[in-house]
Amino acid sequence: MILTVTLNTALDITYRVRSLRPHTSHRVSDVTERPGGKGVNVARVLAALGHEVTVTGFAGGGTGRAVRDRLADTAGVTDALVPVAGATRRTIAVVDELSGDTTQLNEPGPQIAPPEWNAFLDRYEQLLPAASAVALSGSLPPGVPVGAYAGLVRTARDHGVPVLLDTSGEPLRRGVAARPDVIKPNAGELAELTGSHEPLRATRDARRRGAHAVVASLGAQGLLAVTAEGHWRATPPTLLHGNPTGAGDSVVAALLAGLVEHLPWPDRLTRAVALSAATVRAPAAGEFDPAVYEELLGRVAVLRETTAPDVRQHDASR
């Protein structure tokens, strides 16, 4: 079982309009609602790839009930969310069909009380012994300690469970110091963490800060991975237009699947790029177009970097 943690779950709502223009009314051509938050999106993609997944985090209010009702209909996904008094947030994506661009509106999430946080920690400890890997994904709702992910990384390591961290800002900075197995920042998050806008330098610096492996998502330029086994760049064969919401979560899903299946890094990165591109072509976050995925698998370019690996990272300690 793969465990995904979404502390700030959401009900993802996607509107499609012909052309999005400020200060005007719009007729919506299509509406979709999905259980969301980064870890939930990761779980749904993993389940579609054939893995058994358990989702934990928080859910509350009417939106929380809607999230749990929809999760109950998702084959391969087990709901282990912790109930809270506050209402689960909504995220609104507005897709401009003419340009292909997406505008995203994200609510902050419910206030988490100390007893609710403690209840989650108990649930997390109970789930870890059965987990083959853990994904810690997304933002922290109000009331959750800023060092929450660092603590969750350490707890997973204490149980011998590999962990992938995908967050930003101070939670990422503190989480990296706890030595997760993989982090997956985008270019902006990587620059904020390291102060460098040069991708290879920044990725190597992020690894020196504690992560065993760093996979940087560089948008249309694909992925840059710095690991103990080497450095790789993986790029898609073509630029695909569509809804990018959830594309990074598909990268996380592919990396986790590759980890538990013991695939070499080039194969993990090939899957991740193809799956991310197939997600851009899907109508809603947390889904991917299987035909696009299969078609792209054989066309992703993965090149090994010639830069010598950084020997200052202590790879042996786990």
Side-chain angles (χ1 to χ4, degrees):
M1 176 269 287
I2 298 176
L3 178 63
T4 71
V5 174
T6 312
L7 297 177
N8 213 0
T9 53
L11 182 64
D12 286 341
I13 303 169
T14 302
Y15 295 134
R16 302 185 74 87
V17 299
R18 173 63 178 167
S19 176
L20 182 62
R21 292 171 293 156
H23 316 300
T24 63
S25 297
H26 297 80
R27 187 174 297 277
V28 176
S29 61
D30 183 65
V31 181
T32 58
E33 292 188 357
R34 297 289 187 275
K38 294 179 72 64
V40 174
N41 292 337
V42 170
R44 197 159 53 248
V45 173
L46 281 168
L49 293 173
H51 290 272
E52 292 295 321
V53 192
T54 295
V55 172
T56 191
F58 299 111
T63 47
R65 285 193 296 275
V67 166
R68 302 189 81 160
D69 288 346
R70 287 163 172 78
L71 279 178
D73 296 330
T74 306
V77 175
T78 299
D79 174 0
L81 294 168
V82 175
V84 294
T88 294
R89 66 189 178 127
R90 296 164 296 179
T91 65
I92 312 296
V94 184
V95 179
D96 184 321
E97 294 178 333
L98 198 60
S99 68
D101 293 334
T102 300
T103 299
Q104 190 81 15
L105 304 172
N106 296 330
E107 296 179 356
Q111 180 77 29
I112 304 300
E116 294 169 337
W117 175 240
N118 290 333
F120 166 78
L121 293 177
D122 290 342
R123 179 70 56 85
Y124 183 65
E125 287 259 18
Q126 293 164 4
L127 292 167
L128 278 174
S132 56
V134 177
L136 307 174
S137 302
S139 61
L140 302 179
V144 172
V146 70
Y149 281 136
L152 298 180
V153 169
R154 294 188 186 100
T155 301
R157 286 170 51 80
D158 288 344
H159 284 77
V161 180
V163 57
L164 187 154
L165 177 63
D166 180 21
T167 188
S168 60
E170 189 62 21
L172 174 60
R173 188 179 306 278
R174 297 194 186 195
V176 167
R179 299 182 58 78
D181 292 83
V182 186
I183 63 170
K184 192 217 67 66
N186 61 31
E189 293 161 352
L190 190 61
E192 183 181 11
L193 174 66
T194 66
S196 174
H197 291 273
E198 199 288 308
L200 182 57
R201 180 182 302 166
T203 305
R204 296 182 68 191
D205 184 25
R207 188 165 178 266
R208 283 196 297 270
R209 291 167 185 258
H212 290 271
V214 181
V215 180
S217 180
L218 305 178
Q221 299 176 50
L223 302 175
L224 171 63
V226 174
T227 79
E229 291 80 13
H231 303 172
W232 289 272
R233 290 181 187 265
T235 55
T238 185
L239 178 62
L240 297 177
H241 295 284
N243 181 2
T245 307
D249 304 328
S250 289
V251 170
V252 171
L255 294 176
L256 280 173
L259 187 156
V260 301
E261 294 172 26
H262 307 291
L263 295 179
W265 273 104
D267 290 347
R268 300 186 204 184
L269 298 172
T270 295
R271 285 191 183 185
V273 169
L275 198 56
S276 174
T279 301
V280 171
R281 292 290 297 272
E287 296 181 352
F288 64 94
D289 187 320
V292 173
Y293 174 54
E294 292 295 335
E295 191 268 333
L296 289 176
L297 273 176
R299 300 173 56 207
V300 174
V302 180
L303 299 177
R304 186 159 190 153
E305 293 283 313
T306 57
T307 307
D310 186 349
V311 297
R312 285 175 287 179
Q313 175 69 31
H314 302 292
D315 299 309
S317 71
R318 280 289 311 275

